[in-house]
Amino acid sequence: VPYRTIWVPLCEVAATRNSLQLPANHKHQNGSPFPTLPIIQDPLAVAPAATTTVTSDKAVVIGDSFDIALHLQNTYLSVSPNAEKRLFPGMERGVVALHRAFNMFVDEIFRQYGAPLAGTYMPFDPRTAQSDKAAFEQRFPGNMKWDQFEIPQGSDPRKKMLFDFRTALDEKLAPCFQSPGVVGPDGVARKPNGDGPFMDGRESPMYADFIVGGWLQFLRGCLPEWPELRDSWSDGRWGKLFNALEVWASIDGRDGVIPARP
Ligand SMILES: N[C@@H](CCC(=O)N[C@@H](CS)C(=O)NCC(=O)O)C(=O)O
């Protein structure tokens, strides 16, 4: 499906979302609305689901990665003859609901650790960096300045948070990516899904893999300790997943805005 990406600086996220008349569907910790990107505008789609808005020029507008994935699945992928290519394989059997719960579970882990450890190293577009930081500072009472949000590298609080992050990924998320050992009726152990890099040891991804992959992309761009996470946390599992998803990682229009990929 042909598409074009419009990159929006952090300080313009709220205005962009408002201009599309899309209400915020997330909340800040204090309960106030948290308008977010990404948003997709699909001029080709005709059957809006409950979560979609239709603008005056008749484009379908959807503002959350999960709902965007669902829209793409329903509109373009459900006709794929290859079930392995679907984002929500076997979606009539509870797979979407389980993905929704998994999405929240993954977000909780990465928001708790990844966001505070990596967020202050976001590589802003130099043309808007000052306004981006100011927009972020305004969210917090007490006049906190951007630099005060950093958890300094090498400090004890950072070491502890990295340890807790690593443990959470290892204990809560890594088991989802192991191949479930199954004993067949003949008593012989089987690994039905193989030893692939994706969830359940699958050899092709489903949306759950992209949920984790999206967060890994954020960490690749922002976390100073990324090489260690990629190569040695959970025995290198996250680097393998990241690499296996690289074929889907190119996005148009990022040149000059986002630093070059290593
Ligand atoms: N679960 C949401 C999360 C969206 C989200 O947090 N977006 C961030 C950027 S990736 C955002 O728009 N932040 C705006 C801000 O911090 O002001 C989704 O995947 O769509």
Side-chain angles (χ1 to χ4, degrees), residues 1-4 17 19-23 38-64 66-76:
V1 180
Y3 73 95
R4 182 168 61 99
R17 193 166 178 114
S19 75
L20 295 164
Q21 287 133 40
L22 211 53
I39 291 172
I40 190 175
Q41 267 186 301
D42 185 347
L44 300 176
V46 285
T51 47
T52 61
T53 297
V54 182
T55 56
S56 50
D57 57 3
K58 300 275 188 291
V60 166
V61 182
I62 304 164
D64 185 274
F66 191 91
D67 295 323
I68 291 170
L70 209 48
H71 169 76
L72 295 176
Q73 166 71 61
N74 288 336
T75 314
Y76 301 107

Side-chain angles (χ1 to χ4, degrees), residues 10-11 13-14 17 25-26 28 34-39 63-68 103 107 111 122 135-136 139 207 215 218:
L10 193 67
C11 60
V13 169
R17 193 166 178 114
N25 66 342
H26 294 279
H28 288 300
F34 179 25
T36 56
L37 294 178
I39 291 172
D64 185 274
S65 313
F66 191 91
D67 295 323
I68 291 170
N103 189 36
D107 273 7
R111 281 217 184 105
M122 270 192 283
F136 186 86
R139 280 190 210 159
Y207 188 58
W215 276 107
F218 164 65

Side-chain angles (χ1 to χ4, degrees), residues 5 7 125-127 250-261:
T5 305
W7 292 90
D125 180 341
R127 292 168 297 184
S250 60
I251 308 175
D252 67 311
R254 63 200 290 163
D255 302 347
V257 180
I258 308 287
R261 298 165 70 78

Side-chain angles (χ1 to χ4, degrees), residues 181-260:
V182 169
V183 178
D186 51 4
V188 178
R190 298 217 171 89
K191 285 191 169 181
N193 292 321
D195 290 315
F198 302 114
M199 184 166 267
D200 264 357
R202 293 161 57 95
E203 262 128 43
S204 59
M206 55 183 168
Y207 188 58
D209 297 290
F210 291 102
I211 292 171
V212 181
W215 276 107
L216 294 178
Q217 283 289 345
F218 164 65
L219 297 173
R220 175 202 61 85
C222 305
L223 184 75
E225 297 83 359
W226 164 247
E228 204 186 320
L229 190 163
R230 179 192 59 204
D231 298 334
S232 49
W233 291 20
S234 302
D235 296 326
R237 180 174 297 285
W238 311 118
K240 277 187 205 131
L241 175 65
F242 180 86
N243 289 342
L245 290 171
E246 274 296 89
V247 267
W248 290 280
S250 60
I251 308 175
D252 67 311
R254 63 200 290 163
D255 302 347
V257 180
I258 308 287

